[in-house]
Amino acid sequence: MQLVREIGYLMQKDFRLEWRQRATLSGMLLYVGSTVFVCYISFALRGGELPAPAWNALFWIILLFTAVNAVAKGFLQESRGRQLYYYALVRPQAVILAKIGYNVLLLLGLGGVGFALYALMLGNPVQDVPLFLLNMALGAIGFASTLTLVSGIAAKATNSHTLMAILGFPLMIPMLLLLIKVSKNALDGLEFDASRSSLLTLVALNMIVGAVSYLLFPFLWRS
């Protein structure tokens, strides 16, 4: 119970800091909206209908880069003094789980806004919307957990932003392949059984990343 309370306090702190620095959140929303609008003026205004595979690919490109921009700042913006302060008050497991939880909620919100704008401007060819939204939620959890751990590793090194990109994208390629496959099934309206194994694999990947973060972050925190 003590760990849960520590996670709750740290997540409240992150939400309060985000609300005080609303320019960052506004910038992320602007990025999502402007990217969707650029896609709209590139296809819809020229009279061309966006094919379903291109619609699917562009959506995940937007969500991926939104996740990188949103999650990368998790540990990179924390000063050494603040990290030492956390080290004296809470357990390292609470720090990493609170960061993951906060980033999951942030990406779920940004993903929902992005999907709504995307469907409004470019149409909604998804035939199985619940499956697509479930897949998007698993993707947000996977992106948040993976990039949060990578952000913690990169924050300990010089050229942290470069290291973030180098480590982050290769780790997310298997997850992206599964996400694109499931969303393609949702676009085509296939039965849920066609996506069951991929969804279970995504759940397993998310659990593995969470377990690795929980077990390894204390050693990274002491370094």
Side-chain angles (χ1 to χ4, degrees):
M1 292 301 295
Q2 181 64 27
L3 179 64
V4 174
R5 285 196 293 269
E6 291 176 359
I7 293 172
Y9 293 145
L10 290 171
M11 289 183 67
Q12 289 179 23
K13 180 268 301 178
D14 284 333
F15 278 112
R16 288 174 180 172
L17 287 177
E18 194 71 59
W19 181 249
R20 291 176 183 174
Q21 302 171 357
R22 288 188 288 272
T24 304
L25 181 60
S26 301
M28 289 185 287
L29 291 173
L30 179 61
Y31 173 81
V32 174
S34 60
T35 307
V36 174
F37 184 71
V38 168
C39 295
Y40 170 71
I41 62 178
S42 298
F43 294 97
L45 289 184
R46 294 184 178 275
E49 184 178 353
L50 192 61
W55 189 97
N56 191 26
L58 284 174
F59 176 80
W60 285 108
I61 289 172
I62 293 171
L63 192 60
L64 173 62
F65 282 93
T66 301
V68 172
N69 291 328
V71 179
K73 62 183 178 61
F75 285 100
L76 301 182
Q77 70 177 0
E78 300 281 5
S79 64
R80 291 286 183 180
R82 186 181 295 176
Q83 291 184 18
L84 182 61
Y85 180 66
Y86 295 157
Y87 187 83
L89 292 180
V90 296
R91 284 170 281 191
Q93 292 90 344
V95 174
I96 188 66
L97 293 179
K99 289 287 186 185
I100 290 175
Y102 169 76
N103 288 327
V104 166
L105 294 177
L106 180 61
L107 287 186
L108 286 175
L110 291 173
V113 171
F115 177 68
L117 291 175
Y118 201 64
L120 179 64
M121 293 186 179
L122 293 171
N124 183 15
V126 181
Q127 298 186 40
D128 191 346
V129 176
L131 176 61
F132 189 88
L133 293 178
L134 173 61
N135 185 52
M136 187 180 69
L138 290 175
I141 295 171
F143 289 164
S145 55
T146 303
L147 291 173
T148 301
L149 179 59
V150 172
S151 176
I153 297 172
K156 298 292 184 178
T158 57
N159 297 323
S160 52
H161 291 281
T162 304
L163 186 61
M164 177 85 182
I166 293 173
L167 293 177
F169 285 107
L171 291 175
M172 289 187 295
I173 287 176
M175 190 178 299
L176 270 174
L177 293 175
L178 291 170
L179 291 169
I180 291 172
K181 178 183 177 181
V182 175
S183 58
K184 180 63 168 60
N185 293 342
L187 284 165
D188 296 337
L190 299 182
E191 294 292 334
F192 181 80
D193 290 339
S195 305
R196 187 189 303 274
S197 61
S198 298
L199 290 172
L200 291 175
T201 306
L202 285 170
V203 172
L205 286 175
N206 292 341
M207 293 177 65
I208 290 171
V209 174
V212 169
S213 302
Y214 183 87
L215 294 174
L216 297 185
F217 187 76
F219 300 98
L220 178 66
W221 188 248
R222 298 189 191 104
S223 61

